[in-house]
Amino acid sequence: MQSLVFVLVAFLLGCNEFMVVGVISNIAKSYHASLSTVGLLVTIFAITYAICTPILTTITSKYDRFKVLMVMLAIFWMGNTMTALAPSLPWLFISRIITAAMAGTIISLILVFVSVIAPLEKRSMLVAAVFSGFSTATIIGVPIGTTISMLSSWHISFLVISVLTILIGAGLYWLVPRGTKQVTGSIKSQLRLMTDRRIALMAAEYTFYTYIRPIITDVLGFSASQLNWLLGIIGVMFIIGNTCAGIISNHYGIRKMPLISTACLALLLLMGLAFRLSWPGIALLCLICFILGMPGSILQVMFLNVAERDYPEAMSLASSLNPICTNVGVSIGSLVAAISVNLMPVSQVGYVGALFALIGVICTMMLMKTNV
């Protein structure tokens, strides 16, 4: 049951983060704003996530993890409810900043609890299971939210997330272990982890995902009614990728990361050609999302193992590293994509992701030279 509630937390956070992608056109229409302006919601969310997560996880590491988790979840609920009720675009940006600041710390604490309850030999699969919660959000949460948005209003979609937050929060209250062992240290001693050569920043390959809805409907020509089940298929590919990542991490550690990054680079470069036809375009999106489902849990297990062995006082910070790395990449990538979408067709934003994927290949090759 503990594992299930941890996965549900990831699902909740994934719905909150990715829901904007599914309703981006509706938000733009409701506030009479351009698509590129609303797309900056993704950028702001990712930047806030990347900046606040290490700060909050480091500062709160000396306090009881359970209490911090419940307080953060309550603030997250307030921020998401603000999103649902936002009367204007500036209010929407403020509410997304609040939820982003809390989301990174929440998932970091969940991953710390995973490392506490899971034996080392099962850690990879449980981390992969938690990450699959984000993918499940794209299969179930985002399509349902998109449907609600089309039938009623995108505001209602976020109100549903607020209700889920209360229910899942109750599950956490009853199932999360209290008084887990904590090794405390000064902020300086915790930040030593960030100087370790094995900590690499990647994952800007997600650039195209910000505009996946207009890609499917406007570029590939599918109808709004087809959008939901196509997003569901893409989400399934994320989950399969996560599952494969757990197996790969158990058997090979990070040794297959250069191959994964190279495959992502090659697929992103094919976007311009594949998007000329509808079904080949969808097939390519599925393959890309399958590959993108792998790096997260593989790297997160590495971060946890490195911290447990060499920096035990920085376990909370280590648990936040993959979300930080991903959102640093997403913030840079989506910002560049928001600019690019005004200069080139939306179908070409994959090339922006390919540029960052190339950086990812270089980073993983350098990572292989270190002693992990």
Side-chain angles (χ1 to χ4, degrees):
M1 287 298 292
Q2 287 176 325
S3 301
L4 176 60
V5 78
F6 291 160
V7 174
L8 287 175
V9 172
F11 171 78
L12 174 71
L13 298 177
C15 286
N16 173 269
E17 181 172 358
F18 301 135
M19 190 73 75
V20 169
V21 173
V23 300
I24 189 170
S25 300
N26 304 81
I27 293 174
K29 188 179 298 183
S30 67
Y31 292 124
H32 306 289
S34 67
L35 197 62
S36 59
T37 299
V38 177
L40 289 175
L41 283 169
V42 178
T43 305
I44 295 298
F45 187 98
I47 290 174
T48 304
Y49 196 118
I51 292 174
C52 291
T53 300
I55 295 173
L56 291 176
T57 52
T58 303
I59 292 175
T60 60
S61 63
K62 62 182 178 180
Y63 302 106
D64 182 79
R65 288 171 182 150
F66 172 78
K67 293 179 180 177
V68 172
L69 177 61
M70 299 311 296
V71 169
M72 294 291 181
L73 195 66
I75 299 173
F76 172 86
W77 175 84
M78 288 188 288
N80 183 80
T81 304
M82 282 180 61
T83 298
L85 303 176
S88 63
L89 195 56
W91 273 104
L92 184 60
F93 273 94
I94 292 171
S95 69
R96 295 300 287 168
I97 288 171
I98 293 172
T99 52
M102 296 300 106
T105 309
I106 291 170
I107 194 60
S108 300
L109 288 167
I110 291 299
L111 290 171
V112 170
F113 282 117
V114 165
S115 68
V116 169
I117 70 170
L120 187 60
E121 65 275 9
K122 294 183 179 180
R123 182 176 292 172
S124 296
M125 293 306 296
L126 187 50
V127 168
V130 171
F131 274 86
S132 73
F134 288 100
S135 303
T136 306
T138 67
I139 297 175
I140 301 174
V142 174
I144 290 176
T146 305
T147 300
I148 293 172
S149 177
M150 290 188 295
L151 296 177
S152 178
S153 167
W154 64 266
H155 298 275
I156 303 299
S157 302
F158 283 96
L159 279 178
V160 172
I161 294 176
S162 290
V163 174
L164 286 176
T165 303
I166 295 173
L167 297 175
I168 295 172
L172 284 173
Y173 183 82
W174 290 109
L175 294 173
V176 168
R178 270 75 157 175
T180 56
K181 182 180 178 181
Q182 293 181 231
V183 180
T184 60
S186 66
I187 293 177
K188 182 179 179 180
S189 66
Q190 293 180 63
L191 292 177
R192 287 193 306 119
L193 174 67
M194 302 299 287
T195 65
D196 194 294
R197 289 194 308 162
R198 292 166 289 189
I199 307 305
L201 299 179
M202 346 178 168
E205 299 96 329
Y206 284 94
T207 299
F208 79 94
Y209 197 75
T210 304
Y211 299 97
I212 196 166
R213 177 174 175 173
I215 285 175
I216 291 174
T217 56
D218 300 342
V219 177
L220 299 180
F222 290 96
S223 66
S225 61
Q226 294 172 307
L227 174 66
N228 286 339
W229 64 266
L230 288 173
L231 287 175
I233 292 174
I234 289 170
V236 168
M237 298 307 293
F238 266 120
I239 287 185
I240 296 173
N242 277 322
T243 303
C244 292
I247 298 171
I248 292 170
S249 182
N250 267 338
H251 289 84
Y252 303 104
I254 64 164
R255 294 196 298 276
K256 298 299 181 180
M257 279 298 298
L259 180 61
I260 293 170
S261 295
T262 302
C264 184
L265 170 61
L267 291 172
L268 286 168
L269 287 173
L270 288 174
M271 271 191 171
L273 180 62
F275 283 178
R276 295 177 182 177
L277 298 172
S278 298
W279 288 108
I282 288 294
L284 182 64
L285 285 177
C286 288
L287 284 174
I288 292 173
C289 291
F290 168 71
I291 297 296
L292 287 178
M294 295 185 184
S297 54
I298 294 175
L299 290 174
Q300 187 59 70
V301 171
M302 182 201 77
F303 295 149
L304 288 171
N305 291 343
V306 167
E308 186 175 58
R309 185 174 65 242
D310 300 330
Y311 310 93
E313 73 280 5
M315 278 296 290
S316 294
L317 180 59
S319 67
S320 71
L321 285 177
N322 183 70
I324 293 170
C325 293
T326 300
N327 281 278
V328 166
V330 169
S331 61
I332 297 172
S334 60
L335 177 60
V336 174
I339 297 171
S340 301
V341 80
N342 291 318
L343 304 175
M344 64 177 70
V346 70
S347 60
Q348 306 300 314
V349 296
Y351 292 133
V352 180
L355 173 62
F356 292 114
L358 177 60
I359 297 173
V361 172
I362 296 171
C363 287
T364 51
M365 293 299 293
M366 292 174 62
L367 192 60
M368 295 307 299
K369 295 181 180 180
T370 63
N371 180 27
V372 180

